Amino acid sequence: MNVEEFLANEAQATQNYRCGFIAIVGRPNVGKSTLMNHLIGQKISITSKKAQTTRHKVTGIYTDNTAQFVFVDTPGFQTDHRNALNDRLNLNVTEAMNGVDAIAFVLEAMRFTDADRTVLKQLPKNAPVVLVVNKIDKDKAKDKLALNAFIEQVRAEFEFVAVEVVSAKHGLRIANLLETLKPFLPASVPMYPEDMVTDKSSRFLAMEIVREKLFRYLGEELPYAMNVEVEQFKEENGMFHIYIAVLVDKENQKPIVIGRGGEKLKKISTEARLDMEKLFDCKVFLKVWVKVKSGWADDIRFLNELGL
């Protein structure tokens, strides 16, 4: 191959390359964060069985030889809790859908609720929306005729450009979903380096890891008005020193997080530190404590400071 042929092939490959933004939306607990983690092949968005684990728009990036997908994971849109925090989270969802090239609307197989319909009403009219039916590993979804009938029921309520079925938990049909989404990305060169999987900082990821452990180990005891903030993050001699405060709304919520003899908080801190060391590929010193900040979930100024 001569130089002219090589340059022509490179120009053709660039012309055929696609890159764009895809918002992942849906009601709480349909598996959006788990789906994004599988799409990019690495865990950057926290997951939990408790509704509305995600409170920030988390950007995940997947790059291959033909396209770069920039996924935006969003909080679950819901109206169960009415305060400034929930209003801000819902605003994050609607803002994330503006300016994207496509939207993946995630639905739980065999379950289409009024909460799902509420999210459908928020979808913009000028962006292609792909219906993603998740949790096809459920027993009821294994009946193909029943699953197809369910999909037709949902399609009757919105004009989706395509449909894909997946099991985010087990990583099934993730490659199929990428191929389904790819045609809706514009022709473009990559916006990020090919080895980059998120645009979020190490500081942000450390905070999210602690939040995930809180959700996982506190379960139903977890106060809704709870968040975390990084008070200090520094690197010294190849080691991260991270200090994180867990914010609760009332004094009587502190023992829930701390546990008897500090056992729960110690377990949460240890598990978070191990995950951080794996993610950052270095030693981590982590200090986590609990403090009361009454009314923070309704404090607009404080929500701004937290980046919510």
Side-chain angles (χ1 to χ4, degrees), residues 19-157:
C19 177
F21 289 87
I22 299 170
I24 303 175
V25 301
R27 66 167 170 80
N29 259 352
V30 291
K32 299 183 298 299
S33 298
T34 302
L35 177 62
M36 188 173 77
N37 288 337
H38 276 283
L39 283 166
I40 67 171
Q42 185 170 328
K43 181 178 177 179
I44 63 165
S45 192
I46 69 175
T47 60
S48 166
K49 292 182 179 179
K50 193 173 178 72
Q52 219 170 33
T53 310
T54 303
R55 285 185 173 173
H56 296 261
K57 290 175 288 186
V58 180
T59 303
I61 305 159
Y62 174 75
T63 306
D64 63 20
N65 293 330
T66 61
Q68 185 173 81
F69 302 79
V70 185
F71 293 102
V72 183
D73 185 23
T74 60
F77 192 98
Q78 57 105 344
T79 55
D80 290 346
H81 301 275
R82 297 302 303 172
N83 56 28
L85 169 62
N86 192 64
D87 290 344
R88 181 63 59 88
L89 296 179
N90 285 345
L91 181 61
N92 282 350
V93 178
T94 53
E95 286 181 345
M97 291 187 288
N98 292 323
V100 297
D101 300 293
I103 294 169
F105 173 69
V106 185
L107 192 67
E108 183 178 343
M110 315 309 293
R111 189 177 177 206
F112 186 44
T113 68
D114 288 340
D116 296 304
R117 292 183 175 89
T118 298
V119 181
L120 275 181
K121 291 175 183 177
Q122 313 302 318
L123 299 181
K125 305 299 182 187
N126 58 346
V129 180
V130 174
L131 172 62
V132 181
V133 180
N134 189 23
K135 305 185 183 182
I136 58 168
D137 52 296
K138 291 169 55 177
D139 287 340
K140 291 181 180 178
K142 291 177 181 177
D143 182 333
K144 301 301 180 186
L145 289 176
L147 180 61
N148 288 336
F150 170 78
I151 291 171
E152 290 308 310
Q153 174 198 349
V154 178
R155 294 189 73 172
E157 300 203 22

Side-chain angles (χ1 to χ4, degrees), residues 55-56 85 88-89 92 227 296 303-308:
R55 285 185 173 173
H56 296 261
L85 169 62
R88 181 63 59 88
L89 296 179
N92 282 350
N227 206 15
W296 74 265
L303 293 177
N304 289 336
E305 289 176 4
L306 288 177
L308 291 168

Side-chain angles (χ1 to χ4, degrees), residues 79-305:
T79 55
D80 290 346
H81 301 275
R82 297 302 303 172
N83 56 28
L85 169 62
N86 192 64
D87 290 344
R88 181 63 59 88
L89 296 179
N90 285 345
L91 181 61
N92 282 350
V93 178
T94 53
E95 286 181 345
M97 291 187 288
N98 292 323
V100 297
D101 300 293
I103 294 169
F105 173 69
V106 185
L107 192 67
E108 183 178 343
M110 315 309 293
R111 189 177 177 206
F112 186 44
T113 68
D114 288 340
D116 296 304
R117 292 183 175 89
T118 298
V119 181
L120 275 181
K121 291 175 183 177
Q122 313 302 318
L123 299 181
K125 305 299 182 187
N126 58 346
V129 180
V130 174
L131 172 62
V132 181
V133 180
N134 189 23
K135 305 185 183 182
I136 58 168
D137 52 296
K138 291 169 55 177
D139 287 340
K140 291 181 180 178
K142 291 177 181 177
D143 182 333
K144 301 301 180 186
L145 289 176
L147 180 61
N148 288 336
F150 170 78
I151 291 171
E152 290 308 310
Q153 174 198 349
V154 178
R155 294 189 73 172
E157 300 203 22
F158 191 88
E159 193 172 339
F160 298 100
V161 295
V163 179
E164 189 55 78
V165 296
V166 300
S167 171
K169 181 180 179 181
H170 299 288
L172 299 177
R173 298 188 60 84
I174 298 300
N176 301 70
L177 177 56
L178 287 168
E179 287 303 312
T180 299
L181 291 168
K182 187 184 297 183
F184 304 106
L185 301 179
S188 170
V189 296
M191 289 180 284
Y192 298 98
E194 64 179 73
D195 60 346
M196 190 172 178
V197 294
T198 183
D199 64 349
K200 296 298 183 182
S201 67
S202 297
R203 184 186 184 100
F204 173 84
L205 294 173
M207 179 182 70
E208 288 292 275
I209 287 172
V210 171
R211 279 210 316 117
E212 180 188 46
K213 302 309 175 189
L214 287 163
F215 276 92
R216 183 158 296 174
Y217 289 110
L218 298 181
E220 294 304 316
E221 292 183 285
L222 184 77
Y224 177 75
M226 185 279 314
N227 206 15
V228 299
E229 65 174 336
V230 179
E231 299 210 342
Q232 193 174 353
F233 190 110
K234 60 183 180 180
E235 183 179 0
E236 290 181 352
N237 301 319
M239 182 176 182
F240 284 170
H241 295 257
I242 306 170
Y243 299 81
I244 292 181
V246 179
L247 307 176
V248 293
D249 198 50
K250 298 179 177 64
E251 188 69 37
N252 62 6
Q253 293 172 341
K254 285 179 67 175
I256 297 174
V257 180
I258 296 170
R260 182 175 296 179
E263 184 179 347
K264 269 185 183 172
L265 190 60
K266 182 179 180 181
K267 189 170 187 177
I268 287 165
S269 301
T270 300
E271 291 290 326
R273 177 181 58 78
L274 291 172
D275 273 12
M276 290 178 197
E277 289 182 340
K278 184 178 179 181
L279 180 63
F280 302 142
D281 195 25
C282 70
K283 285 291 183 182
V284 172
F285 171 81
L286 175 65
K287 177 70 174 177
V288 181
W289 68 97
V290 185
K291 70 178 184 180
V292 178
K293 185 172 180 64
S294 298
W296 74 265
D298 273 313
D299 186 338
I300 298 294
R301 180 188 59 78
F302 189 63
L303 293 177
N304 289 336
E305 289 176 4

